[in-house]
Each structure stands twice: as structure tokens, then as C-alpha cells.
Amino acid sequence: LSPEEEKLAEYIIYNLNEVGYLRYPLAELWAGLTGQKAAESPESPTPGAVPAIPVTPAEKEKDAPGLSPDEMPSPTAGESSPAPVPEEVKAAAFSLEDLEKVLKAIQQLDPPGVAARDLRECLLIQLDRDPQTPYLHRLLVSHFLDDLLNNRLPQVAKAVEVSLDEVKEALLNIGRLNHKPGALYCNEQTNYVS
């Protein structure tokens, strides 16, 4: 990275939350850099994304093995606005593509999964680092994560045309990934009321 991109990387890193996720959409960070207003359009769906399988009330009661929806980090929980932009970063002219390039470079750092925008990206970053990752793991995280979190395993197995046992085994392996990569470096302590 160039010296200007290194400063931009510092700005992005400063905008990670306590578990290592990016606090704000990249467009919002870029808007802060350029002084423009971020577009208020919803994130576009992933091209080729498979729609989620509907949830039945009984399925909402169960948790999938290895992952629990209640434990999943919220990238923007309790956040108000991005960090102030350093003057040396303001002075340089960065495009949204430059910001994306620097974010991808940060995502190659340890711990694996850091600087992800959401749980799906966090897990995919970790899966992509291992050349031995089975295709099924990547497919499940890419297209069926919500279904896995809501324990719709039989429907997922049918949709991807594998056995239920194969889905369960993949889910256990996916559940071993670190879904809070920055938590190792967080200095915050939880104070319990007794």
C-alpha cells in the first residue's frame, strides 16, 4: 500500500467494532471522506443468490448445531457515526474502489475474518484462506447461512442435494470458525450486576 493508502487503512481499522466487524457501510465511510452524503439505497442482493427457505414456527424454537443466532455479532450495534477523518486522508482523493481495495488488504491480515461487513463475509474470508475447504461449506455460508442459523437443515440438504448428515457435519465445521475475530483484542470487560 502507498503511504496515503496506509493512512486510509488506519481510518478503516479505526472504524471496526469491538468484535472486528466494519461498523459502517463502505459507502458511508467514503461519504465521510469526500464530504458527500451516502446513498440511502439498500444493499443490493448478491448476484445469483438463492432465496432463503421460509421459517416455520417450530424451527424458530431450535438452534442449529455450532451456531446460535443470539450469539451473532451485530456490525453496527450501539454505533452512531464514523470516526473523524484524519486531515492527511481528507487531502487525498480516494474513490470508493480505492476504499474497497484497502479494505480487501486489511481483510488479509490476522485474525482471519477481521474487517468483514457481516457474519457471512467473516466466515467466507476464513473459508477462503484454507485451500482444503470443501465446496459445500462455502456454498452453505454463501447462500444458506440464514437457513442454517434457523435450523432448516432438512430443507437445506434437499436444496443442495446432499444428505442431512453431510449438512450437519459441514455446519459443525463452520461453527468452529471464529465469528468474532476482533474479540481477542478487545479491552472491554463485561461488568455483571449481582
Side-chain angles (χ1 to χ4, degrees):
L1 296 177
S2 70
E4 293 84 13
E5 289 172 331
E6 286 179 10
K7 291 291 184 189
L8 186 56
E10 289 177 20
Y11 173 66
I12 293 171
I13 290 168
Y14 192 76
N15 281 288
L16 299 179
N17 67 16
E18 66 279 351
V19 295
Y21 285 74
L22 195 59
R23 287 182 178 145
Y24 309 99
L26 219 48
E28 192 172 328
L29 292 179
W30 181 75
L33 288 171
T34 61
Q36 299 178 12
K37 188 172 182 173
E40 295 181 10
S41 61
E43 294 290 323
S44 57
T46 306
V50 178
I53 298 168
V55 182
T56 65
E59 291 169 334
K60 286 184 180 180
E61 300 298 318
K62 301 178 190 174
D63 284 337
L67 294 172
S68 168
D70 297 332
E71 294 179 8
M72 295 303 124
S74 171
T76 58
E79 304 299 335
S80 56
S81 61
V85 181
E87 288 304 317
E88 55 272 10
V89 173
K90 273 186 185 178
F94 289 107
S95 68
L96 189 53
E97 291 77 23
D98 294 331
L99 203 58
E100 181 75 37
K101 174 187 165 196
V102 173
L103 177 65
K104 292 293 182 196
I106 295 168
Q107 290 174 340
Q108 297 305 309
L109 301 174
D110 283 330
V114 73
R117 290 168 257 216
D118 58 22
L119 175 63
R120 178 173 281 116
E121 186 175 32
C122 176
L123 297 175
L124 287 172
I125 290 168
Q126 293 174 64
L127 291 171
D128 287 345
R129 286 205 180 179
D130 182 2
Q132 303 298 318
T133 296
Y135 172 74
L136 178 61
H137 293 50
R138 201 167 183 347
L139 176 67
L140 294 177
V141 171
S142 295
H143 298 295
F144 296 98
L145 186 60
D146 292 335
D147 299 315
L148 296 175
L149 291 171
N150 288 295
N151 202 31
R152 295 189 290 264
L153 305 185
Q155 294 92 327
V156 171
K158 184 177 179 181
V160 297
E161 300 177 347
V162 299
S163 73
L164 183 57
D165 287 339
E166 288 176 282
V167 171
K168 286 179 179 180
E169 182 181 336
L171 183 55
L172 287 174
N173 290 329
I174 293 166
R176 290 184 186 112
L177 298 174
N178 187 354
H179 61 273
K180 296 179 181 178
L184 297 169
Y185 304 100
C186 182
N187 292 329
E188 289 184 21
Q189 287 186 325
T190 303
N191 296 321
Y192 295 99
V193 178
S194 52

